[in-house]
Structure formats: C-alpha cells, structure tokens
Amino acid sequence: ALADGRTALLEGIRLPQGDTDHAPAIFVQEALAALDALARSGPLTLTAAPPRTDRYDRLRVQAFGADGTWLQIALLRRGLARVEIAPDRSACAAALYAAEAQARGRHLGLWSSPAYAIRSATAMNAPAGTFQIVEGKVLHVGAASGRIFLDFSENYKRDFTAIIAPDDRKTFRAAGVDPRTYRGKRIRRRGMVQINRGTELEIANPAQIQTLD
C-alpha cells in the first residue's frame, strides 16, 4: 500500500499462499517479512508499462529500492516467491526465471519443500486450483474447437495437457511463435491446475513457456 492511497502489485512473481498451495505456512510468514523489510527500507522507484493497472486498479509494477535492489529479484533469489508471467507481459521474464533458478538450485526457501517441487507432466497429481510448475516432453500438438493442445502423454485424460485458447493464439502469432515447434521438445509451464478433459494448464503467452532443450 502506497502513501498516496494507491496499491502496487509486484508484477511477475507469486508469493507463497500457505494452505492454498497445500504447503507449510512458514513460507508465507518469511516472504511477507522479507517483503516488508525490502519495501520499507527507503523510497522505492516503481516502473509500470501499459496497461499500468489491473482490473482492481492496482499498479502493476517492478519495484526498486533506494540502493537499486530489484524487489522481485531479491525475493526470487531467496526462494520466497515463484515466477508468474502475466498473459500480456514478457519483458522481464528472462531475468525473473534466472533468479528463481538460482534459489531452486540451492534449495532455498520454498524450494526446500516437496509442496513446491516441479511436477512431471506424465505423473501429475497436483490438486485443481493450485499454482504448479510442470515440465515434460511434448509428444503431440493438436487443435480442436479453435484451441491448441500440447500433449505430454498418449493418455491425455490421465496425464497433463497444456492449452492455448483461441484468443491467445493471436499472441503467439504476434510473437512469431508457432506452437507446433514445441513438438518433441522438453518444456516447462506454470499456472493454475484445471481439470477438464484431463489435467490442464492454460498458456496465454510464449513467455510463460521455458524450452529446456
């Protein structure tokens, strides 16, 4: 919350959610304590690209401390947040993913808990409505009813499928990315788990996909 009454949302990251994540609450406490210390250590510089606000009129910002500390990167490097790229953002994705990888490689913060482990696309058992990071090799790329399906198994009803909705296909075209090129590649995708024809995550933006090979 800002002194002028506005609210700023730290763009590009997702803080631990405790029970909602089916995870220990200690990470929520640690993340909020770290954010409080970072945000109130001195004046902040907030940058926001159009559209500058979300539907709740919160400023969508990247935040920097007086000493130049990038708050999002600081939280990611401590393992106190995960990257969550918005459908209409891509500019900071590479830096955010790199910071997250540093903490994950050292098992810092939430990365020390099995609740936040990266899920296998062919062994998905995460509850619906939870935010998960999933990786696997794309076996098939298909289309139906205007949607693109990235299948990671011969049995889509049992395992994981990534979905590109009709409206989001335009975003891929604008970025010059053909979803068919993911076939045969190992990728990592993150988002909210949905149960429809099987276990699904939607992809709205190519920056939400990390190609691992």
Side-chain angles (χ1 to χ4, degrees):
L2 306 179
D4 62 7
R6 293 179 297 172
T7 300
L9 173 69
L10 293 185
E11 186 100 302
I13 63 171
R14 181 182 183 87
L15 297 178
Q17 304 290 315
D19 288 345
T20 301
D21 292 339
H22 296 253
I26 184 63
F27 301 118
V28 179
Q29 300 163 13
E30 291 178 357
L32 291 178
L35 178 55
D36 184 76
L38 288 165
R40 299 205 292 167
S41 62
L44 294 179
T45 297
L46 306 178
T47 65
R52 292 165 53 88
T53 59
D54 66 9
R55 59 180 176 173
Y56 303 108
D57 291 326
R58 298 176 298 190
L59 288 172
R60 305 169 62 189
V61 306
Q62 297 294 330
F64 302 86
D67 61 354
T69 298
W70 188 352
L71 268 62
Q72 281 94 327
I73 296 294
L75 291 167
L76 289 168
R77 285 177 175 167
R78 298 181 193 185
L80 297 177
R82 290 177 288 175
V83 175
E84 183 178 20
I85 302 298
D88 59 344
R89 294 285 196 247
S90 60
C92 298
L96 297 173
Y97 284 137
E100 181 192 86
Q102 290 179 19
R104 188 168 59 248
R106 297 170 62 191
H107 304 287
L108 297 179
L110 56 82
W111 301 113
S112 65
S113 171
Y116 292 105
I118 294 178
R119 311 296 179 180
S120 168
T122 55
M124 275 290 287
N125 58 358
T130 59
F131 183 90
Q132 300 291 343
I133 303 175
V134 184
E135 65 180 46
K137 183 177 180 179
V138 179
L139 296 185
H140 304 290
V141 179
S145 302
R147 303 204 298 172
I148 299 292
F149 298 89
L150 308 184
D151 291 320
F152 296 77
S153 166
E154 299 294 346
N155 188 342
Y156 65 81
K157 292 184 178 179
R158 182 190 65 193
D159 294 318
F160 168 73
T161 300
I163 306 295
I164 303 173
D167 287 346
D168 296 322
R169 294 176 66 175
K170 295 180 291 186
T171 304
F172 279 76
R173 287 195 293 270
V177 177
D178 183 345
R180 292 175 295 182
T181 62
Y182 293 120
R183 185 169 53 201
K185 294 183 179 179
R186 188 170 183 82
I187 69 171
R188 182 180 297 152
R189 166 68 182 113
R190 58 192 68 209
M192 302 299 295
V193 174
Q194 306 173 39
I195 306 297
N196 290 310
R197 68 171 196 161
T199 304
E200 300 177 353
L201 293 181
E202 288 193 356
I203 305 171
N205 176 350
Q208 296 174 330
I209 295 177
Q210 293 173 274
T211 301
L212 305 178
D213 55 19

